């Protein structure tokens, strides 16, 4: 009973606006995660040794391209934000196109695939940054966050945005699947309301 | 007749996914190697990396879930819930696999910019077993994507066959 009530609530006219709002939020979250991680770069000079009395300085850079997990993170977030942008454009500008059976199914499947993609990207970047923050004494890997604090902070911000995107994409995917079970017509509901107005 | 073959196909898929997840779990848990170099003896276990622990836990959850769904009766109302849970399990599988892959790639190739040396040279058997577990995890993930599409198809099938 509760399941059918939920399905009914998810497929009423108001839920189209809720879905649109959720998609805008997910688009913004994943886009900001991609941008913040894509521009993540820090350069610092360290003193690596002493020759006599003069210290030798060496410049080190921490870039996101050094870690393949972060490259995957940027690319996956860009792809998911592009998908959300496409869906928003379809809902706003494709007002006359009716979402028939196959189109609804492809929207649901694409949403499910993007949920798995963004969860994979966010998790791999999270575990890699955990290794970078705490090091690993079994493998003798030093932590790098004590030396590149700004790089780590920006990465943490991008990760938080990506995890917010994961949660939003799960909700969006659940709503898309429930629209499959009981298809409603977002576009023709607005057409019906305009025909009612005298 | 068609319904029966579809149902058997779904059961076979789920049994295969259960087997793959269980194999990934077992291979990673039994990977352990002791090596000594420079008069220092180190033992490589899967608990050294947090990502491998997460991989083991995720595959254990997926194995238990697949085993329980194998016995779900055909006319139960829970099949609609199985679609959502299949999506959650696919998410778990893909996130754990990609996290373990990211850490294992650093272990194999190292990270020259961070000064992290690869460890596969010292513990080759451990590395091979981790690779085998990751391959089994990947097979489980692909089977679960097919299972997700199959559950969706078996739940909303009547609506798709009609032209609306």
């Amino acid at each position: 009973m509760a399941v059918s009530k939920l399905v009914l609530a998810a497929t009423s006219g108001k839920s189209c606006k809720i879905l649109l709002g959720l998609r805008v939020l997910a688009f913004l979250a994943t886009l900001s995660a991609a941008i913040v991680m894509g521009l993540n770069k820090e350069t610092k000079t360290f003193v690596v040794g002493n020759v006599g009395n003069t210290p030798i300085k060496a410049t080190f850079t921490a870039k996101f391209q050094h870690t393949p997990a972060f490259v995957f993170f940027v690319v996956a977030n860009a792809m998911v934000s592009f998908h959300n942008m496409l869906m928003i454009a379809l809902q706003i500008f494709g007002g006359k196109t009716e979402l028939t059976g196959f189109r609804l199914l492809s929207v649901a499947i694409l949403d499910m695939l993007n949920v798995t993609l963004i969860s994979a990207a966010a998790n791999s970047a999270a575990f890699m940054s955990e290794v970078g923050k705490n090091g690993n004494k079994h493998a003798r890997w030093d932590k790098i966050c004590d030396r590149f604090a700004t790089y780590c902070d920006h990465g943490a911000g991008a990760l938080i945005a990506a995890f917010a995107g994961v949660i939003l994409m799960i909700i969006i995917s659940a709503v898309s699947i429930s629209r499959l079970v009981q298809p409603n017509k977002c576009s023709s509901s607005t057409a019906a309301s305009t025909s009612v107005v005298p | 007749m068609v319904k029966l073959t579809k149902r058997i196909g779904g059961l076979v898929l789920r049994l295969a996914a259960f087997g793959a997840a269980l194999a990934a779990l077992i291979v990673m848990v039994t990977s352990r190697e002791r090596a000594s170099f420079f008069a220092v003896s180190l033992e490589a276990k899967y608990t050294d990396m947090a990502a491998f622990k997460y991989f083991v836990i995720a595959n254990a959850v997926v194995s238990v879930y697949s085993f329980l769904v194998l016995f779900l009766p055909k006319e139960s109302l829970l099949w609609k819930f199985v679609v959502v849970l299949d999506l959650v399990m696919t998410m778990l599988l893909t996130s754990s696999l990609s996290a373990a892959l990211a850490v294992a790639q650093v272990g194999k190739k190292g990270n020259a910019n961070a000064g992290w040396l690869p460890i596969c040279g010292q513990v080759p058997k451990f590395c091979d077993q981790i690779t085998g577990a990751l391959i089994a995890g990947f097979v489980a993930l692909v089977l679960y994507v097919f299972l997700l599409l199959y559950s969706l198809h078996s739940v909303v099938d009547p609506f798709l066959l009609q032209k609306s």
Side-chain angles (χ1 to χ4, degrees):
Chain A
M1 292 300 118
V3 172
S4 61
K5 265 187 126 167
L6 197 65
V7 163
L8 203 56
T11 54
S12 57
K14 212 196 238 183
S15 82
C16 291
K17 298 203 172 57
I18 296 179
L19 187 64
L20 191 64
L22 281 176
R23 280 206 198 272
V24 167
L25 278 178
F27 167 68
L28 289 173
T30 49
L31 190 67
S32 61
I35 289 180
V36 167
M37 185 64 91
L39 299 174
N40 205 5
K41 185 173 165 174
E42 192 180 353
T43 312
K44 262 191 164 172
T45 51
F46 297 107
V47 176
V48 289
N50 273 315
V51 172
N53 278 332
T54 55
I56 306 178
K57 289 199 198 320
T59 315
F60 293 107
T61 317
K63 288 195 274 216
F64 82 95
Q65 294 107 320
H66 290 164
T67 317
F70 292 158
V71 174
F72 174 49
F73 180 84
V74 169
V75 169
N77 271 287
M79 283 172 68
V80 174
S81 67
F82 179 66
H83 160 83
N84 276 321
M85 189 178 70
L86 271 183
M87 294 300 162
I88 292 172
L90 181 69
Q91 201 161 349
I92 294 183
F93 299 120
K96 291 293 176 290
T97 57
E98 280 230 350
L99 282 179
T100 51
F102 182 65
R103 288 186 192 152
L104 262 183
L105 179 67
S106 57
V107 164
I109 289 184
L110 274 176
D111 272 339
M112 287 193 288
L113 290 179
N114 278 296
V115 160
T116 49
L117 181 65
I118 185 135
S119 81
N123 262 287
S124 67
F127 274 99
M128 274 310 296
S129 37
E130 193 265 342
V131 171
K133 192 174 173 71
N134 298 332
N136 192 325
K137 55 183 197 333
H138 299 276
R140 287 177 177 76
W141 293 338
D142 288 332
K143 57 179 149 183
I144 64 168
C145 269
D146 48 356
R147 286 179 279 165
F148 292 98
T150 319
Y151 176 76
C152 279
D153 284 342
H154 286 176
L159 265 179
I160 292 175
F163 274 109
V166 167
I167 295 176
L168 286 166
M169 284 301 295
I170 293 177
I171 301 176
I172 289 172
S173 179
V175 172
S176 296
I177 293 179
S178 69
R179 280 177 71 177
L180 265 184
V181 174
Q182 206 157 342
N184 77 324
K185 299 170 175 41
C186 267
S187 48
S188 68
S189 66
T190 53
S193 63
T194 52
S195 70
V196 165
V197 171
Chain B
M1 189 58 210
V2 175
K3 271 194 105 96
L4 186 63
T5 47
K6 265 199 211 159
R7 175 159 162 77
I8 289 183
L11 274 179
V12 164
L13 258 183
R14 205 168 282 277
L15 192 64
F18 163 67
L22 196 65
L25 169 72
I26 291 179
V27 169
M28 181 153 296
V29 165
T30 56
S31 66
R32 174 182 280 231
E33 191 177 351
R34 176 172 289 277
S36 64
F37 66 103
F38 302 136
V40 164
S41 148
L42 66 90
E43 180 169 23
K45 301 192 287 278
Y46 79 95
T47 47
D48 289 345
M49 316 276 186
F52 293 159
K53 283 194 277 196
Y54 177 52
F55 182 79
V56 163
I57 292 174
N59 273 286
V61 168
V62 168
S63 308
V64 167
Y65 165 76
S66 308
F67 188 68
L68 287 178
V69 171
L70 271 177
F71 299 118
L72 200 61
K74 190 163 59 104
E75 308 301 336
S76 166
L77 284 173
L78 280 175
W79 278 108
K80 298 211 166 125
F81 196 44
V82 163
V83 174
V84 173
L85 278 183
D86 269 350
L87 179 64
V88 170
M89 294 302 155
T90 310
M91 264 188 52
L92 255 183
L93 272 180
T94 177
S95 64
S96 65
L97 178 69
S98 76
L101 261 176
V103 172
Q105 197 262 352
V106 176
K108 195 171 177 73
K109 298 267 173 64
N111 193 333
N113 296 293
W116 292 342
L117 299 173
I119 63 167
C120 268
Q122 283 106 35
V123 280
K125 235 164 46 83
F126 175 74
C127 266
D128 285 343
Q129 264 196 295
I130 297 284
T131 311
L134 289 177
I135 291 176
F138 184 67
V139 167
L141 170 69
V142 167
L143 286 171
Y144 246 91
V145 169
F146 285 134
L147 261 177
L148 181 63
L149 293 175
Y150 168 80
S151 317
L152 195 65
H153 170 73
S154 71
V155 163
V156 302
D157 184 45
F159 293 92
L160 287 180
L161 287 184
Q162 294 171 4
K163 288 256 176 247
S164 57

